[in-house]
């Protein structure tokens, strides 16, 4: 019973805050004295706006079938030890995020010496969003030793 009260009160505070924001944006400054009909927009956008690149690298994305990079690639920062693909601590010094993003979405464009084509999944361009590819590329660039 007590906890229920707390929840109700929290909600009301949220609604009032949202109304204040809505009024501010609308800028119509009416002498509002407790309007309650303003629909409260879902504030659930932060989760999808921020990409957790390490999580993607280690776990992949089950909802679209994107296979975890760490299954095949070692990267110390991610704690992965996969060996089917090259060790990503040892990418070329000049492999920056832009180059890496292309390697992720079009792996066969250039095959790393000693490896075969068609082993790395070819579908990351569709199983990951552009933001996710970019976040992974930046994550690898920033965490790799670039120790080729
Ligand atoms: C099924 C195994 C497999 C998975 C899963 C995989 N890769 Fe690969 N990857 C490879 C292989 C094999 C190569 C080398 C052949 C080539 O160049 O395509 C490679 C090459 C690369 C390269 C080039 C490395 C270099 O030394 O230049 C990068 C970068 C890369 N992968 C990133 C990723 C990322 C990021 C993911 C996850 C989104 C991923 N890979 C998932 C197998 C895999």
């Amino acid at each position: 019973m007590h906890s229920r009260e707390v929840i109700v009160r929290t909600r009301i505070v949220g609604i009032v805050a949202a109304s204040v924001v809505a009024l501010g944006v609308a800028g119509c400054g009416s002498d509002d004295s407790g309007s309650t009909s303003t629909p409260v927009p879902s504030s659930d956008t932060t989760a999808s706006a921020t990409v957790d690149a390490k999580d993607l690298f280690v776990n992949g994305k089950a909802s679209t079938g994107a296979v975890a990079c760490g299954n095949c690639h070692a990267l110390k920062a991610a704690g992965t030890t996969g060996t089917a693909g090259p060790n990503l601590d040892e990418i070329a010094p000049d492999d920056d995020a832009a180059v890496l993003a292309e390697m992720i979405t079009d792996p066969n464009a250039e095959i790393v010496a000693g490896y075969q084509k068609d082993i790395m999944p070819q579908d990351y361009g569709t199983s990951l969003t552009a933001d996710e590819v970019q976040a992974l590329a930046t994550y690898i660039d920033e965490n790799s030793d670039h120790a080729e």
Side-chain angles (χ1 to χ4, degrees):
M1 233 194 243
H2 187 70
S3 58
R4 210 182 190 201
E5 260 184 336
V6 172
I7 289 167
V8 170
R9 211 173 289 143
T10 313
R11 271 190 152 178
I12 290 171
V13 170
I15 289 166
V16 170
S19 313
V20 169
V21 171
L23 282 172
V25 171
C28 55
S30 67
D31 61 333
D32 173 77
S33 48
S35 115
T36 50
S37 55
T38 314
V40 181
S42 159
S43 58
D44 199 25
T45 50
T46 44
S48 55
T50 322
V51 177
D52 185 342
K54 182 177 178 180
D55 181 60
L56 274 179
F57 192 96
V58 175
N59 299 313
K61 191 174 165 192
S63 61
T64 60
V67 181
C69 318
N71 286 358
C72 297
H73 291 287
L75 182 66
K76 276 184 290 187
T80 60
T81 55
T83 55
N87 182 336
L88 295 184
D89 282 306
E90 298 172 0
I91 58 174
D94 59 352
D95 280 352
D96 61 13
V99 172
L100 291 166
E102 200 188 334
M103 288 168 161
I104 295 169
T105 53
D106 193 7
N108 282 352
E110 203 188 316
I111 304 298
V112 178
Y115 293 88
Q116 289 182 313
K117 62 189 292 194
D118 291 330
I119 295 173
M120 178 155 159
Q122 308 291 304
D123 66 349
Y124 287 124
T126 50
S127 64
L128 298 176
T129 66
D131 280 353
E132 288 167 340
V133 169
Q134 207 51 54
L136 275 168
T138 303
Y139 173 76
I140 295 167
D141 181 32
E142 287 176 352
N143 288 285
S144 174
D145 291 341
H146 289 272
E148 185 184 57

